[in-house]
Amino acid sequence: MNMLAFTTPWLLWGLIALPILWLLLRAIPPAPIRRRFPAVALLLGLTDEERQADKTPWWLLLLRALAVAAAIIGFAGPILNPENRAPGSGPLLIVLDGGWADASDWPRRMDKANTLLAEAGRAGRTTAVIRLTDLPQPVEFQNADAWAGRLAAMEPQPFAPQGYEDWAKILPTDSFDSYWLSDGLDHPGRDALLKTLQSKGNLTAFLSPRPVFALRPAAFEDGKISLTAARLPGDPADLDVIARGPDPSGIDRELARAPLHFDAGAPEAKATLDLPPELRNRVNRFELLGQRSAGAVSLTDDSLKRRKIAVIGGTSDREGLPLLQPTYYLRQALTPVADLVEGGLSDIIPANPDVIILADVAKLTPVESDSLLEWLNKGGLLLRFAGPRLAASELSRAEEDQLMPVRLRVGGRSVGGAMSWGEPKTLAPFPENSPFHGLAIPDDVTVSQQVLAQPDPDLSTRTIAALTDGTPLVTRKEIGAGQVVLVHVTANAEWSSLPLSGLFVQMLERLAVSTKPAQPDAQDLAGLTWVPQKIMDGYGVERDAGEIAGVPGETLGKAMTTGPDPNLPAGLYASTDRKVALNVISAKTEITAATWPAGTAIEGIETVKAQALKGILLTAATIMLALDVLAALWVSGRIGGLARTAAIALALMLPHDARAQTPDDIKAIEATRGVVLAYVQTGDATMDQISEAGMRGLSDQLWLRTAVEPEAPMGIDLEKDELAFYPFLYWPITPNQPIPSTAAYAKLNRFLRTGGMILFDTRDGDIAGYSGDSTPEGQTLQLIAAGLDIPPLEPMPKDHVLTRSFYLLQDFPGRYAGGAVWVEASDPTAEQTEGMPFRNLNDGVTPVIIGSADWASAWATDPDGVPMFPVGRGYAGEDQREISYRFGINVIMHVLTGNYKSDQVHVPALLERLGE
């Protein structure tokens, strides 16, 4: 890399003129002629008021030459640490992979992309930026400045780049150069795009030296949790994998940790965790410590959670005849995937198992029945199997038993019996409302005997499996938060071949009785709709899924193999009582290095900040020219009087206690010149830039529409800055911002008590609205608000002054719409004056507004006044931005004027008194 470069190097030819300048300066003024004149003796002792040197001193000549040289070099545009890259011309395409593998060093990639855009802008090249995790769309080359705002809004996505072939097809037909900021990994279809870019022009690849690590889904082997991390082969490395989940109080924390060691050149490293069942069932995610990427996170689902299941048979086990035992097949199916609880019913219920299975149990004591009902109401699952005892009993005959899903008919039906079949019956396809919907039914599964349900009106709604003749095979009823399920055949092969088939295990899985200790396939998920509960962003941070629609099980099953995509994000999906995790990395995901064809330039993404030296050199030239003037005066003998005069004038102008202004003094002066909209600095540089841009955009709108003329917005450091100068603070909430100190809390509470307002914005309205206990931002807000003197809050009522302080508003959107906005609760005794549409509220200002609409992004504009972030869609989005501006103006007018609009409720009384 060259240490120094010039934007206009041809100006350096002017340095050749320095020797000529030196000779000219030596010749001016001309040297005096020396003559012998005896009468000069009469002038001895006289002093001239003006003196002139017979020649210019060498040091003054050197000073002038240096000043001219500094000016010439400065105008040549010197740049320190420029990029050592051959200058290009024509359009430039910047390609970002934008997937999970980019997340760990995303800020460095953005710095590099911004540097490349700036270089292209200085060269006058049009540019375009594409992110390969986006859906392919036409590429348009624009001015480099137009991409700066859009680039700042880009974030890594929680999936790998896709659609390479589609991108290759829609690229412009004209020639252009390409810069590819690659994640260093090979992805399916990548070669097609690579060949297309090479055919269009020069291709340069930028690679990060930082290794990429990925974590595969956890597996349960030999009673222990097995964890595998993958990477590209490289030097030895050591990492820690941690298990996270809620503690008994519900707070998410680290539950366990295990070391991972990569040998030199090894692509994988393994670790095991031996956790007790109670702790293992709490784990909801594993992550590689220090790796901020969705690929380094593995969410857990039912496949890791071994349920506690109690299996109780109605008869004692027959010694020497295990195949005839009523619980034999249940134990064989459940032992590998569940923790079986042994004992009697009275001993088992206090242990709070997840499932209790009663195999041909007909009679329960009143105490056992009451305990089971209480357990069911709390969310338990009671699974009952029929048998000879149940068929011969009077249970649930005349009246439906509380612990049975349906009433039963006397006796039963069997091949050759009184209510006989001619031959064993097979199963009918499972209905759509059944948890078994989509399961394939083997032809060899038959039923030869069963207990029959009474044809009550609600029988059809409670039937989740039936035989081909329509008689119920499995019925279900909800009890409180739990449910009771009856299988109308025995749990062994006495009445049916169902327990001998794989369908039996699959049905148990669908009932959430057992969990398969492996990644589910498409067949396991088919026939059900899976609704996302949690989704991950590119950094591996979980968020509530909000109102994202459910997906068919077939689609989710395919994604379990191919990975998530823009339409199916990584996260946790649920259907009835089952949960499935769709992770970025699957057990079969291959981590392979990207290869680049010959002729491709390879560079790193490290960015050394280039520094322009033009201003420094021109300043130095100006200073040296000023010194030249002073030196010339001194040489001529005129500096003495001038210096004394300047010193006296300077002494008279300075106050006696003159002191240098500190940066705090300067900031205080700027803050008090007018109204200043301030924002709290979060420590996140990107978020702080958005906040500043948002306050700038709102200030511009206040200038245009109101009599308020705000100064430039300011960022506030809560630990250092004084808050009394600002009437309003915008406080964006980020998950990782620090909690204020005690001194900062004291300043904040004093600010709130003296009329200041804080607008808290959790910015999560796109996923959950304002939900303080469900998002990382909401949880951070709760922690911050704990130390503030905040009054009781309520959702903004329709007659609140904020709805009319300048504009009449009903909604208060930002970048997101629909979320609740919370303000100080109004006086419950406030009454509405007759004839007026709102109550007579007090004259105070709500000290706090809390919302989730991301107002700063909606208000944000660049220095040219162009909105930086999209809002909504099309024209409707611009209407939403306009309402957002109006809400911001209402907030500032409310801060500055209080509730003066509420005084209108007194208008009827004032008019009446004036009439008197």
Side-chain angles (χ1 to χ4, degrees), residues 761-824:
D761 192 349
T762 58
R763 307 175 298 106
D764 54 6
D766 58 331
I767 53 176
Y770 176 64
S771 179
D773 58 354
S774 59
T775 65
E777 291 84 357
Q779 294 171 4
T780 302
L781 175 58
Q782 286 186 340
L783 294 176
I784 292 174
L788 294 176
D789 185 13
I790 296 178
L793 303 177
E794 67 177 354
M796 188 185 300
K798 294 182 179 180
D799 61 347
H800 195 277
V801 179
L802 274 171
T803 62
R804 59 184 185 280
S805 56
F806 194 84
Y807 289 103
L808 296 178
L809 299 177
Q810 296 178 342
D811 300 311
F812 319 101
R815 192 178 186 187
Y816 312 119
V821 178
W822 295 74
V823 296
E824 180 182 4

Side-chain angles (χ1 to χ4, degrees), residues 19 52 73 87 128 245 303 336 363 390 422 428 434 488 591 633 822 851 877-878:
Q52 184 173 358
I73 297 174
S303 63
K363 294 183 179 180
L390 186 65
S434 169
H488 292 237
I591 307 296
L633 293 174
W822 295 74
E878 291 309 309

